[in-house]
Amino acid sequence: MGTSHSSSRTSKDSSAGSSGQHQTYSGSNNSKYSSRNNSGIALDRQPSSSSPHPSTHGNGSHSSSLQKALSRRRSSNRTESSSSHGSASHSHSHHHPSQQLPSHQEEGEDEFKWHNGRRYHNTSSLYMLPNDSQEVDRLHMQHYIFKAALDKNIHVPIPDNGRVIDFGCGPATWTMDMATDMSTINFVGVDISPIYPTAIFPRNCNFYNEDILQGVSQPDGVFDVVFQRNVTCGFTFEHWQKAMKEAYRVLKPGGYYECVESDVTIQGAGPQTNLVFEQLRMSMAVRNVDPSIVRSLDRLMAAAGFKEVYVKEYAIPVGEWGGKVGQLWKQNMFAILDTVQPHLAKTARMNEGQVQDIVSAMHQETNSYKAHQIVYVTYGRKPL
């Protein structure tokens, strides 16, 4: 199995624009990836002693997580033919074995929108990926790839009998995986698309159909951890500011906020891969979305008032050269690209057939180039 390599850095909590620190880690093949500060100068100072101990919550073996990613089949209780949204804007899911799910025909005509046979949420959100059962399957698999590649589900400590909220929980794979492993912790998931389970889920989970950018229904200062993952393709700079402000509001003093985001750039890739990802970034820019913000989330967190802000960077292999992790990461990447091809075609002023030809050429490149993608884990603490 391929090994992902990580590095970490810290941001001085007194200034949003201060230089960070990092520690370089090497994997089994001794290759290294060093993080850099904004001036491009490699730093070699050790993280400060105030750094929280790495969390082991939700850790699992590579083989266990990868087996789940390889064998996971459709397990969401919400699909195109069996999904519910609820009449209230803030609908609370209850664990009830006899709960019946309304059919798709019972939903309002404006509940979803459809394009090229795929279902999307019909809201003002800039998020460009669908919310149908095919996408739910991909998100299930993606969760276990993250868990294997990062070797854990979360990097910050969770106190006994604590409370955790998952901003943008999607089908709630992370939420339920954590809740199953940590039965004394209360988990809440919120998402603009109601694709989380409504009938079968751990008893220490609750879900709400809410938009974090509009504010969630939770009171101030009630959570120990806010977790957020993979919102890059739908967030503008202002959206990031709103999300961080909302995370700060709902956290207890001393609580942690963790963001996990992938860079929309492939390192060491071939020309066709670079071309496709350049078009992807351009299609996001048309919607005022700048994916490069993921490299600066530490500064945004510090500006939002968080202290002890840290960043860990993971280099995830793309392709068979990276073993099972690389194979699955490649599979996940192409599943996303298949979905966004209409956006790429529009931006590049090509037809979708031409885009498909370029994407197909990328498959061959992954066999020739040892490319990787950086995942940034950024976390900070609300002052006591």
Side-chain angles (χ1 to χ4, degrees), residues 72-80 118-119 130-143 170-173 176 193-197 332:
R72 186 87 187 202
R73 292 296 181 262
R74 188 168 299 134
S75 62
S76 171
N77 300 107
R78 289 177 170 268
T79 66
E80 299 96 326
R118 302 298 302 271
R119 191 188 74 182
N131 67 357
D132 52 19
S133 59
Q134 185 176 337
E135 175 66 3
V136 167
D137 284 346
R138 187 193 68 79
L139 290 171
H140 284 323
M141 180 184 73
Q142 180 178 260
H143 164 73
T173 324
M176 293 190 294
S193 281
I195 58 174
Y196 40 75
N332 185 61

Side-chain angles (χ1 to χ4, degrees), residues 188-307:
V188 172
V190 297
D191 201 281
I192 196 171
S193 281
I195 58 174
Y196 40 75
T198 60
I200 301 175
F201 51 87
R203 293 186 180 274
N204 54 327
C205 278
N206 291 290
F207 300 104
Y208 296 83
N209 179 205
E210 297 179 341
D211 183 352
I212 59 177
L213 300 179
Q214 300 298 322
V216 299
S217 59
Q218 304 296 322
D220 296 354
V222 295
F223 289 99
D224 298 283
V225 172
V226 175
F227 180 80
Q228 182 178 299
R229 186 166 70 186
N230 293 340
V231 300
T232 302
C233 67
F235 268 24
T236 66
F237 178 80
E238 291 75 18
H239 290 163
W240 277 108
Q241 291 178 314
K242 287 182 178 179
M244 291 187 178
K245 181 178 179 180
E246 186 67 356
Y248 194 92
R249 180 186 71 80
V250 301
L251 278 171
K252 299 174 183 177
Y256 288 94
Y257 178 37
E258 177 173 326
C259 297
V260 181
E261 297 293 338
S262 303
D263 197 353
V264 188
T265 299
I266 306 298
Q267 306 291 331
Q272 300 301 321
T273 302
N274 289 333
L275 174 62
V276 168
F277 273 82
E278 175 62 24
Q279 295 300 327
L280 179 58
R281 291 189 295 272
M282 290 176 61
S283 71
M284 297 169 75
V286 169
R287 295 175 293 117
N288 202 30
V289 172
D290 180 7
S292 68
I293 290 176
V294 301
R295 305 168 198 161
S296 306
L297 293 182
D298 52 341
R299 290 183 290 161
L300 288 182
M301 277 194 188
F306 290 94
K307 307 297 182 181

Side-chain angles (χ1 to χ4, degrees), residues 60 94 376:
H94 299 280
Y376 295 89

